[in-house]
Amino acid sequence: MAVLDHTTGSAPRPSLLNDPVFRGILYQVLVAAAVIAFFGWIILNTAQNLAAQNKTTGFDFLFRTAGFDISFTLFPWSRSSFYWQAFLAGLLNTLLVAVIGIFFATILGFTLGIARLSSNWLIARVATVYIETIRNIPLLLQLFFWYFAVLKAMPAVRQSFELPLDIFINQRGLMVPRPMPDHEFIWVVVAIVVSIILAIGIGIWATRERTATGRYPRYVINASKVADAAVSLLIGLLAFTLLGHIVTAIGANPALVWIGAVVVAALSLTRFAPIGRAILGFVFTWVILSTLLSAMFSTWSTLAIGIGSVIAGAVVAWIVQERAADRPPSEARFPTALLILIVIGIPAFIYWSTGAELAFEVPVLERFNFKGGFQLPPEFVALVFGLSIYTAAFIAENVRGGIRAVSKGQTEAAQSLGLKEGDRLRLVIVPQAMRVIVPPLTSQYLNLTKNSSLGAAIGYPELVNVFTGTTLNQTGKAIEVIAMTMAVYLTFSLLTSAFMNWYNSRVALVER
Amino acid sequence: MDNVYIRQDLVDARPAPGRTGGPIDWARHNLFSTPSNSLLTVLGALLLMWIIPPIYNFLFGHAVMPGGTVEQCRAEGAGACWAYIAARFNFFIYGFYPMTEYWRPNIVFAMLALLIIPLLIPSAPFKRTNALLFFVVFPVVSYYLLAGDVFGLRHVPTEQWGGLMVTLIISLVGIIGSIPLGILLALGRQSKLPIIKTLCVMFIELWRAVPLITVLFMASIMLPLFMPQGMTVDKLLRALVGVTLFSSAYLAEVVRGGLQALPRGQYEAGAALGLGYWKRTLLIVLPQALKNVIPGIVNTFIALFKDTSLVSIVGIFDLLNTVQAASSDINWASPTQAVTGYVFAAFMFWIFCFAMSRYSLWMERRLDTGHKR
Amino acid sequence: MTNLSVTAPEGAAMQISQTDVAVDVIDMHKWYGDFHVLRDINLKVMRGERIVIAGPSGSGKSTLIRCINRLEEHQEGHIFVNGTELTADLKRIDEVRREVGMVFQHFNLFPHLTILQNLTLAPIWVRGIPKAEAEAAAMHYLERVKIPEQANKFPGQLSGGQQQRVAIARSLCMQPKIMLFDEPTSALDPEMVKEVLDVMISLAEEGMTMLCVTHEMGFARQVANRVIFMDQGQIIEQNEPEAFFSNPQHERTKLFLSQILH
Ligand SMILES: Nc1ncnc2c1ncn2[C@@H]1O[C@H](COP(=O)(O)OP(=O)(O)OP(=O)(O)O)[C@@H](O)[C@H]1O
Ligand SMILES: [Mg+2]
């Protein structure tokens, strides 16, 4: 615009103040000067204040011994550890709780998000009530609730609740068995990693072959048929063993367990495979439901629970049977059973053949406390609970939004091309929904990580608690400590937005 | 083959077969439409049967209602101790504010309700006056009314303020302060001037990156360091500064969304009318942009309202902190004391947040249809 | 064969083999909740026939053709497609859908896939055709709809007319026996209507069985064997295009035609 003004020669030269370019520069200089002056003033004040308090600045305090205790660290900690180790301990604890929280929040959040879209009124309503309750109550309040009202109100050590699998819960937290792998066990770990990679590789290769040639490779199909029987046998053994716990006749006679499993496995090789699956569905539903019901409703009669579970089992069997009968022939099926067998079978074989052992050190109640096992402090448990439950409500909303963002027309187009439900979801709906879900999901992950700082309020030794709290109090290095804390969170945030930019540029839909 | 067909008599609509209407029909379609759905319904119902009765019994069935005694609360199997909440209710609302002066916060609450309700109703008249009263006059009047020391009002230092009152004060100051700041930051971020833009981006991204708790720590520890020697900053004021700066960064992003969504034509039309930057922005751009992001602003406010609970960490007696403090009141010590307190606080927070989120949804729908017309 | 006698008008008892009937709708009724949207629909479409369905907005045209590939389910009566009755049986529905192509008003291309991927998705995953073959076929159909050069673009980069032609090609890739069109041109700018109609006309000339909901009366005159007029969820009048346009019988038809033909 300024240029235009100059070219119209006859017009009077505008005053410098009305020239937009000049004005822009002037504004910026003024703002910059103000900001610099402001910071200068702050620095001056701070220097004077520090001098008056006889305090120095600098990061050398990091190499002094901390001299305080941290109740929970991921590496050995003693009072003679350094402050930088305290920083690291806090950071690791933050990351630990964030990772575990993210894991649970994601599972719960996706479940709730999908439930909220369910055509079942009751399920949709339950999910809605959960979301609307949880996200409208401050997280800190929820953490207080879990910590002070639930975990701190747990019985004293001597009256610990015993949960299945040798887990105990009491005022001091959650005691879980500690895995004690021996030296050979490393090979099992290697085998697990290798077999997962192998399974993924085979999966990708089979899919590629399927696309390129129109059919899955013959070896894979044949292997998958055998694997089907093997997996059926394993699941059958599990199912009938569990059944043995509620039906004494079976529990007393291991041969029956084997007979049942073998029948199911044999069925899976014939055209009666759906019936085999129906049997498994029946048994699992029966066992799980009757166990759950008798735990939940202690006043209900065993007979009623038994009858109810058997009826539910029959319904499940029917559903499973219908679904299985609708499945395409094994030639046209992704070799899931084979991949499962690889992931379970190879490590199991290595475990058995190398004689590796994985013992569990079970927590045992001694006179005053539990010995052995792994102690998860109540602060940790409360924080994981609170963060997962709270964040799940937000994730659920993102998931719901993402799924709803895929228009109904997309489903209809896929349907009218004859794509089956599974393919429809895998090829059309999920890829589109994920584009919408992933960016807000990442920021929920970041939020969860930032929110883990509230653990400080219930005494979980994460970064803010250990560093911004205790370390700052002891050293008085306010500026350094707060700057370092902020730098950590700023890094998380920058990493997240770097990821999001990358993701968005990768998946952005090309528009005109 | 004869392709001609002409209908003689129109077919009248008749009710759908197998649809009897009524609750059974409804259940058949919404709860038992398929075997899997029926199973889900049964499982859901079992879950509800498991959790609802204990919750009901705790909250109502076995609860000790206001007027009850602490002995009743201590009895085996007693539910929520509402008597305790009733007894400490004033503490939860006003904190340590002197009891004789409760009328002062009460007037503030009343003014708040009187000013905010018409402000939120889009069709209510006198928006401009209303906004002026709410954003400028109300905070000043409230401050002097609450703090006193003028017009013969007794001085009540901020250390004595507490409870829901402080929660409301912090969130209102946060939002009132962060709106102008957020707008300026958003405009700065959209600006073509590189230095201004960079400064605004840095400010916004820094605050958005760190958790509020570190901001509050910073405000309560570093702010005194930054001030000239001998100058003390009130504890509540420190928290207010922290909260305001923090939420202004979030608000700036919301406003930026509104600015970006505005069609370019609006900027150009403003320029074509010969309006300068500020006139253009104030008269044309902002009114539209802000109106469109009201839902976003309300959502920021909800987040802020919940976040105010964090000030309890730096020792301010907001609603949550009063509840937390009261839970060690030995006069009311009972097994359900703490839980009752949390449930009460949760309910208070929930009411406010839920109402605001409904409002935001309602505005969103309203704005949506407004666009289509 | 019994079902044929229901709709075959008296005296038309000629020998029609089952395979000559593409779509047979018999005494069909449909409700949306309590709203009786389709009433007493009887419609027989022979192989190779082209049917145009017209009618005022809300008369149930879309619903009718969506029932034919069971995007909507009917509550009374029968629908046979290629001799297969549409019931709740998923297997049969999939079978039918494989044979029936559908083109939507708003294209409904998959925005995350390229044009070529849009076209090969169903052949690969539904028919199990090797990728290379599917791609060759896709290119063939893209050439037919005259946009082979767009194969590697994304739907968002194409004009409306181009997108609709891709959508037609996508259906053709499944080599359907019947094509359903639901107002394929009504979301298009006027200059793009012709390019889509041209594709549809060439399809008709090749003998594809087609059911089109459209307000393009020129198209109806040129290619339709029959025009069906619907109102209030029922078929009011059906006739050959010439007679239908020049000599409508029913009052409602007359009114409708006077409104759209000015
Ligand atoms: N999913 C649905 N639920 C309830 N009612 C519906 C649904 N879909 C359509 N309708 C109603 O059914 C009637 C027929 O709809 P349909 O879409 O078949 O009309 P149409 O003849 O295609 O109209 P148009 O020319 O506007 O596309 C309309 O009154 C419509 O409101
Ligand atoms: Mg329609």
Side-chain angles (χ1 to χ4, degrees):
Chain A
M1 293 243 307
V3 181
L4 261 183
D5 284 345
H6 291 299
T7 50
T8 51
S10 59
R13 263 183 90 82
S15 103
L16 210 47
L17 264 181
N18 284 333
D19 178 349
V21 175
F22 175 78
R23 248 207 240 184
I25 295 174
L26 184 68
Y27 277 144
Q28 300 199 67
V29 170
L30 287 179
V31 169
V35 170
I36 292 172
F38 179 71
F39 275 103
W41 182 68
I42 282 182
I43 292 171
L44 200 72
N45 286 337
T46 312
Q48 281 175 354
N49 283 324
L50 288 176
Q53 298 168 14
N54 267 331
K55 280 184 185 163
T56 55
T57 52
F59 288 92
D60 43 348
F61 76 94
L62 288 175
F63 302 97
R64 274 188 253 137
T65 46
F68 59 86
D69 276 325
I70 301 181
S71 59
F72 179 76
T73 54
L74 289 179
F75 54 84
W77 171 267
S78 73
R79 277 162 174 269
S80 56
S81 300
F82 297 116
Y83 279 117
W84 68 265
Q85 286 172 310
F87 173 77
L88 193 65
L91 182 58
L92 287 178
N93 281 346
T94 292
L95 289 176
L96 176 74
V97 88
V99 169
I100 297 179
I102 284 172
F103 175 78
F104 288 118
T106 308
I107 295 177
L108 191 57
F110 272 76
T111 313
L112 285 165
I114 293 167
R116 216 185 152 177
L117 291 172
S118 164
S119 64
N120 184 312
W121 180 87
L122 187 69
I123 298 297
R125 210 28 71 98
V126 168
T128 308
V129 168
Y130 173 99
I131 292 167
E132 290 296 347
T133 310
I134 294 299
R135 66 174 185 167
N136 284 322
I137 296 175
L139 174 60
L140 187 62
L141 175 49
Q142 297 188 34
L143 289 179
F144 279 179
F145 175 81
W146 290 116
Y147 184 62
F148 292 110
V150 177
L151 286 157
K152 278 284 154 188
M154 283 291 158
V157 174
R158 295 220 61 88
Q159 281 88 36
S160 298
F161 284 130
E162 186 176 350
L163 305 176
L165 302 175
D166 287 315
I167 297 174
F168 297 87
I169 189 162
N170 59 39
Q171 269 182 353
R172 303 219 182 143
L174 204 60
M175 323 285 145
V176 295
R178 181 204 291 271
M180 305 278 279
D182 64 2
H183 282 300
E184 267 76 47
F185 196 77
I186 185 75
W187 295 112
V188 180
V189 176
V190 171
I192 291 174
V193 174
V194 170
S195 63
I196 288 176
I197 294 173
L198 190 67
I200 293 175
I202 291 181
I204 292 175
W205 173 67
T207 311
R208 219 175 260 165
E209 286 290 297
R210 161 71 180 80
T211 323
T213 66
R215 46 178 44 233
Y216 289 106
R218 194 148 39 86
Y219 312 113
V220 172
I221 293 172
N222 290 339
S224 197
K225 273 182 201 159
V226 177
D228 232 341
V231 171
S232 297
L233 185 73
L234 286 177
I235 298 179
L237 283 176
L238 180 64
F240 287 104
T241 311
L242 288 178
L243 189 62
H245 286 287
I246 57 169
V247 180
T248 34
I250 296 178
N253 197 347
L256 285 179
V257 172
W258 275 96
I259 292 173
V262 169
V263 167
V264 170
L267 280 177
S268 81
L269 290 169
T270 69
R271 66 196 170 85
F272 299 111
I275 296 184
R277 291 175 158 245
I279 293 176
L280 290 181
F282 174 76
V283 172
F284 272 119
T285 313
W286 181 12
V287 173
I288 294 175
L289 202 61
S290 62
T291 315
L292 266 183
L293 286 182
S294 38
M296 280 159 66
F297 304 100
S298 47
T299 52
W300 289 14
S301 85
T302 333
L303 185 68
I305 290 178
I307 293 175
S309 323
V310 167
I311 293 176
V315 174
V316 169
W318 178 36
I319 297 171
V320 168
Q321 200 277 125
E322 297 260 294
R323 290 263 162 95
D326 268 346
R327 293 205 312 169
S330 59
E331 290 75 36
R333 245 179 3 229
F334 185 76
T336 319
L338 177 63
L339 303 190
I340 294 177
L341 192 66
I342 288 175
V343 171
I344 299 175
I346 295 182
F349 178 76
I350 298 289
Y351 183 76
W352 170 75
S353 61
T354 57
E357 233 178 301
L358 176 66
F360 282 93
E361 186 193 77
V362 175
V364 192
L365 182 61
E366 303 216 322
R367 190 174 309 181
F368 296 114
N369 203 351
F370 275 91
K371 248 194 119 64
F374 206 68
Q375 287 204 11
L376 296 173
E379 297 82 20
F380 175 83
V381 180
L383 191 56
V384 167
F385 247 77
L387 285 175
S388 315
I389 287 175
Y390 185 73
T391 314
F394 293 86
I395 292 180
E397 284 298 87
N398 294 338
V399 170
R400 180 174 81 120
I403 296 175
R404 290 203 2 183
V406 184
S407 74
K408 206 154 164 277
Q410 292 291 312
T411 311
E412 291 178 350
Q415 280 176 333
S416 65
L417 287 169
L419 285 164
K420 291 197 186 357
E421 181 166 13
D423 287 339
R424 227 151 54 210
L425 288 175
R426 185 171 60 92
L427 299 168
V428 177
I429 309 301
V430 171
Q432 291 187 57
M434 283 317 271
R435 278 156 204 257
V436 184
I437 294 172
V438 168
L441 186 66
T442 359
S443 50
Q444 287 310 332
Y445 290 169
L446 180 64
N447 279 348
L448 187 147
T449 311
K450 288 199 284 177
N451 282 337
S452 71
S453 59
L454 294 193
I458 54 170
Y460 173 70
E462 47 69 69
L463 184 66
V464 170
N465 182 311
V466 174
F467 204 59
T468 326
T470 317
T471 303
L472 193 155
N473 268 342
Q474 292 199 358
T475 61
K477 303 276 184 187
I479 298 171
E480 295 83 345
V481 166
I482 289 183
M484 278 176 76
T485 317
M486 286 189 155
V488 168
Y489 288 105
L490 198 58
T491 313
F492 289 156
S493 162
L494 291 177
L495 287 178
T496 311
S497 48
F499 168 79
M500 266 199 255
N501 286 340
W502 170 80
Y503 182 83
N504 281 333
S505 66
R506 208 182 72 103
V507 307
L509 291 180
V510 187
E511 300 283 350
R512 272 148 72 80
Chain B
M1 148 168 201
D2 190 2
N3 274 340
V4 184
Y5 170 83
I6 295 143
R7 183 174 285 283
Q8 303 305 334
D9 313 299
L10 290 184
V11 183
D12 288 327
R14 57 181 159 93
R19 277 188 73 101
T20 50
I24 295 181
D25 194 51
W26 178 89
R28 220 164 50 88
H29 281 89
N30 293 293
L31 296 176
F32 304 101
S33 56
T34 60
S36 330
N37 256 342
S38 313
L39 201 71
L40 277 177
T41 303
V42 170
L43 287 182
L46 284 175
L47 184 74
L48 292 182
M49 280 165 69
W50 184 52
I51 58 173
I52 287 185
I55 291 181
Y56 174 83
N57 282 338
F58 180 82
L59 293 181
F60 309 105
H62 302 158
V64 179
M65 287 301 155
T69 63
V70 63
E71 282 71 28
Q72 288 172 302
C73 292
R74 285 180 190 147
E76 179 79 15
C81 185
W82 297 125
Y84 151 70
I85 300 294
R88 304 301 310 268
F89 191 74
N90 283 339
F91 180 58
F92 298 148
I93 301 298
Y94 307 100
F96 299 104
Y97 210 85
M99 205 173 298
T100 50
E101 310 290 322
Y102 279 172
W103 59 273
R104 284 153 61 175
N106 286 345
I107 289 183
V108 172
F109 289 147
M111 279 199 298
L112 172 64
L114 278 181
L115 288 174
I116 207 163
I117 291 172
L119 198 60
L120 294 179
I121 301 174
S123 58
F126 309 119
K127 270 281 163 322
R128 199 172 289 215
T129 324
N130 197 337
L132 191 74
L133 283 175
F134 181 72
F135 285 107
V136 182
V137 179
F138 169 67
V140 176
V141 172
S142 304
Y143 172 74
Y144 284 111
L145 200 54
L146 291 175
D149 224 6
V150 281
F151 306 122
L153 286 176
R154 186 177 137 194
H155 178 57
V156 183
T158 58
E159 284 78 28
Q160 295 184 12
W161 302 9
L164 180 67
M165 179 181 120
V166 156
T167 295
L168 286 175
I169 288 174
I170 296 175
S171 41
L172 283 172
V173 170
I175 200 76
I176 291 175
S178 64
I179 283 180
L181 205 55
I183 292 174
L184 282 178
L185 284 168
L187 290 173
R189 195 170 182 166
Q190 294 288 81
S191 155
K192 292 192 195 73
L193 308 175
I195 296 184
I196 292 186
K197 183 173 174 148
T198 316
L199 284 172
C200 290
V201 170
M202 277 167 50
F203 183 94
I204 293 172
E205 292 307 325
L206 179 71
W207 290 130
R208 276 162 41 91
V210 297
L212 178 58
I213 186 170
T214 57
V215 175
L216 289 173
F217 265 119
M218 184 171 144
S220 66
I221 296 166
M222 309 241 293
L223 217 52
L225 275 181
F226 291 162
M227 291 295 121
Q229 253 176 317
M231 186 169 152
T232 56
V233 190
D234 182 88
K235 192 153 94 181
L236 183 63
L237 184 59
R238 288 182 224 167
L240 286 176
V241 170
V243 166
T244 308
L245 292 179
F246 184 76
S247 62
S248 69
Y250 283 85
L251 207 77
E253 285 301 278
V254 173
V255 174
R256 184 166 76 114
L259 292 175
Q260 279 175 337
L262 214 58
R264 276 227 66 77
Q266 292 296 324
Y267 293 87
E268 282 156 11
L273 286 173
L275 296 173
Y277 175 80
W278 287 109
K279 279 199 181 132
R280 201 158 73 218
T281 305
L282 281 177
L283 297 177
I284 299 180
V285 176
L286 277 183
Q288 301 185 50
L290 287 183
K291 184 173 151 244
N292 286 335
V293 293
I294 289 178
I297 295 178
V298 177
N299 287 342
T300 315
F301 192 43
I302 297 175
L304 174 65
F305 188 77
K306 286 186 293 175
D307 278 348
T308 55
S309 57
L310 267 63
V311 298
S312 55
I313 297 174
V314 291
I316 291 170
F317 278 88
D318 75 319
L319 175 60
L320 178 58
N321 208 6
T322 49
V323 168
Q324 180 73 356
S327 69
S328 48
D329 174 356
I330 43 166
N331 293 327
W332 283 95
S334 76
T336 60
Q337 183 188 17
V339 186
T340 309
Y342 294 137
V343 171
F344 167 73
F347 180 70
M348 296 298 278
F349 276 108
W350 184 84
I351 281 283
F352 280 94
C353 294
F354 186 71
M356 285 189 279
S357 74
R358 288 293 114 157
Y359 175 74
S360 143
L361 268 182
W362 176 74
M363 267 319 265
E364 210 167 308
R365 294 219 182 95
R366 223 183 103 90
L367 290 170
D368 251 7
T369 51
H371 272 301
K372 277 187 197 128
R373 266 181 219 140
Chain C
M1 291 306 281
T2 49
N3 53 46
L4 290 177
S5 59
V6 177
T7 40
E10 283 162 83
M14 30 191 203
Q15 278 302 314
I16 308 165
S17 87
Q18 181 92 29
T19 51
D20 287 340
V21 183
V23 177
D24 200 355
V25 182
I26 301 162
D27 295 339
M28 192 265 276
H29 292 255
K30 168 165 181 62
W31 286 263
Y32 279 126
D34 282 327
F35 175 51
H36 198 169
V37 55
L38 292 180
R39 309 175 194 170
D40 187 31
I41 303 286
N42 282 288
L43 172 66
K44 178 161 21 202
V45 182
M46 308 303 292
R47 207 162 285 300
E49 250 195 316
R50 276 97 48 198
I51 311 270
V52 162
I53 304 173
S57 179
S59 55
K61 309 177 297 285
S62 300
T63 311
L64 173 59
I65 68 165
R66 288 159 61 84
C67 280
I68 292 174
N69 67 351
R70 209 166 165 106
L71 290 178
E72 303 287 352
E73 60 184 69
H74 57 282
Q75 281 86 16
E76 266 181 25
H78 307 272
I79 301 178
F80 295 86
V81 179
N82 291 324
T84 310
E85 176 161 16
L86 288 175
T87 59
D89 184 347
L90 280 177
K91 268 218 167 107
R92 286 206 221 167
I93 295 173
D94 282 335
E95 252 166 54
V96 164
R97 283 176 180 162
R98 261 177 269 158
E99 308 296 328
V100 178
M102 174 133 182
V103 175
F104 299 86
Q105 183 175 5
H106 295 288
F107 332 134
N108 291 346
L109 294 178
F110 305 129
H112 61 302
L113 302 178
T114 64
I115 301 305
L116 196 61
Q117 289 168 332
N118 263 280
L119 265 62
T120 54
L121 187 78
I124 289 176
W125 289 103
V126 179
R127 291 223 190 275
I129 294 173
K131 191 173 174 200
E133 255 173 64
E135 284 181 348
M139 286 313 294
H140 165 75
Y141 286 110
L142 279 181
E143 265 154 36
R144 267 207 59 176
V145 300
K146 304 202 176 63
I147 36 176
E149 72 283 359
Q150 311 286 1
N152 291 312
K153 289 196 183 163
F154 285 89
Q157 295 168 292
L158 268 53
S159 76
Q162 289 172 327
Q163 291 196 43
Q164 195 59 296
R165 284 185 278 157
V166 171
I168 296 175
R170 179 174 69 177
S171 293
L172 292 179
C173 279
M174 286 296 283
Q175 303 184 322
K177 300 206 172 75
I178 303 164
M179 287 285 287
L180 308 174
F181 293 85
D182 188 4
E183 305 200 29
T185 55
S186 58
L188 299 179
D189 293 339
E191 71 268 22
M192 296 171 184
V193 170
K194 187 172 177 302
E195 61 190 51
V196 172
L197 286 181
D198 283 346
V199 171
M200 291 169 61
I201 290 169
S202 76
L203 261 183
E205 282 163 359
E206 282 167 27
M208 174 69 78
T209 312
M210 294 163 67
L211 275 96
C212 304
V213 176
T214 181
H215 293 143
E216 296 293 333
M217 292 308 152
F219 172 80
R221 275 177 204 272
Q222 192 177 341
V223 305
N225 305 82
R226 254 191 293 166
V227 179
I228 288 176
F229 174 70
M230 287 184 69
D231 194 8
Q232 290 192 355
Q234 41 208 310
I235 296 179
I236 300 290
E237 178 162 352
Q238 80 172 258
N239 210 334
E240 274 144 17
E242 239 3 89
F244 180 84
F245 289 113
S246 56
N247 186 19
Q249 301 290 314
H250 203 284
E251 282 311 308
R252 289 176 188 246
T253 323
K254 287 179 191 163
L255 185 67
F256 177 72
L257 285 177
S258 73
Q259 279 165 353
I260 61 162
L261 300 175
H262 308 296

